[in-house]
Amino acid sequence: MGMIHCEYARLAADDFDKARTDLTWALEHIDELAGEWVQMDLPAQEARYFSIGTVWGPLHTALLVHGKMPVDPVQGGAALGSTDGIKPVRYLGPEDVEKAAAFLGGTSFDALAPLADAALVCDEDVCPNPDEHVAEVDAARLAEAYGELAAFYGAAAKAGDAVVLMLN
């Protein structure tokens, strides 16, 4: 199995409403946003699509061990639908995006860094061999991803957007 990436897309209110009723349209729209992100190389706070790459497992673990998240900004939310991805596509509505942004913006990465553990990367269905992910607990990589994730959610919350979460 190849390396699994955690990806996010911001959806404005109208697009979010349409996405919840038409998964095919939603996935096509998200693909368009991904293409824009790749072509334009936008910083997280300006992007409508974003990926934390392969560090999502240790980052998610650190957030779960920390235990004070009001919502899970890495793999939480409600199911949008099944796709060819690793798990069903999920979403956080605008209210949950605000909660996630407040938590990420108000929680220092320094409080999370000691909680990242390659042995606890994720469940066996997704990552059966944690030894493959040791490099992903590198503090600099995790800190950068965390800062970008906080910026992405902060911009989404400011705009009143929903966020779609995907493992691919």
Side-chain angles (χ1 to χ4, degrees):
M1 177 181 290
M3 297 301 268
I4 300 164
H5 293 250
C6 190
E7 301 166 353
Y8 305 87
R10 288 175 43 194
L11 298 180
D14 290 346
D15 289 342
F16 179 51
D17 289 341
K18 187 170 185 177
R20 288 187 292 175
T21 60
D22 187 345
L23 182 60
T24 301
W25 176 87
L27 296 175
E28 289 171 359
H29 182 64
I30 290 168
D31 279 345
E32 290 172 14
L33 295 175
E36 287 177 14
W37 179 65
V38 169
Q39 290 176 346
M40 299 175 75
D41 194 27
L42 296 171
Q45 64 272 16
E46 295 175 24
R48 302 221 31 97
Y49 184 92
F50 170 70
S51 175
I52 58 172
T54 59
V55 300
W56 66 272
L59 187 57
H60 191 226
T61 298
L63 289 165
L64 291 172
V65 171
H66 181 266
K68 295 187 173 121
M69 298 181 295
V71 296
D72 182 348
V74 177
Q75 280 300 299
L80 183 62
S82 293
T83 66
D84 292 336
I86 305 303
K87 290 189 173 187
V89 173
R90 307 189 67 71
Y91 69 87
L92 294 175
E95 289 180 9
D96 284 339
V97 168
E98 285 183 30
K99 292 175 188 174
F103 172 79
L104 293 168
T107 304
S108 164
F109 178 74
D110 292 340
L112 299 173
L115 306 175
D117 183 348
L120 302 172
V121 166
C122 54
D123 64 57
E124 290 183 13
D125 292 338
V126 178
C127 302
N129 185 1
D131 293 338
E132 295 176 354
H133 301 277
V134 172
E136 291 154 20
V137 294
D138 175 72
R141 280 183 80 184
L142 288 172
E144 179 181 5
Y146 184 76
E148 291 174 338
L149 190 64
F152 182 81
Y153 269 100
K158 186 175 180 180
D161 291 344
V163 171
V164 175
L165 311 91
M166 302 154 285
L167 287 179
N168 293 310

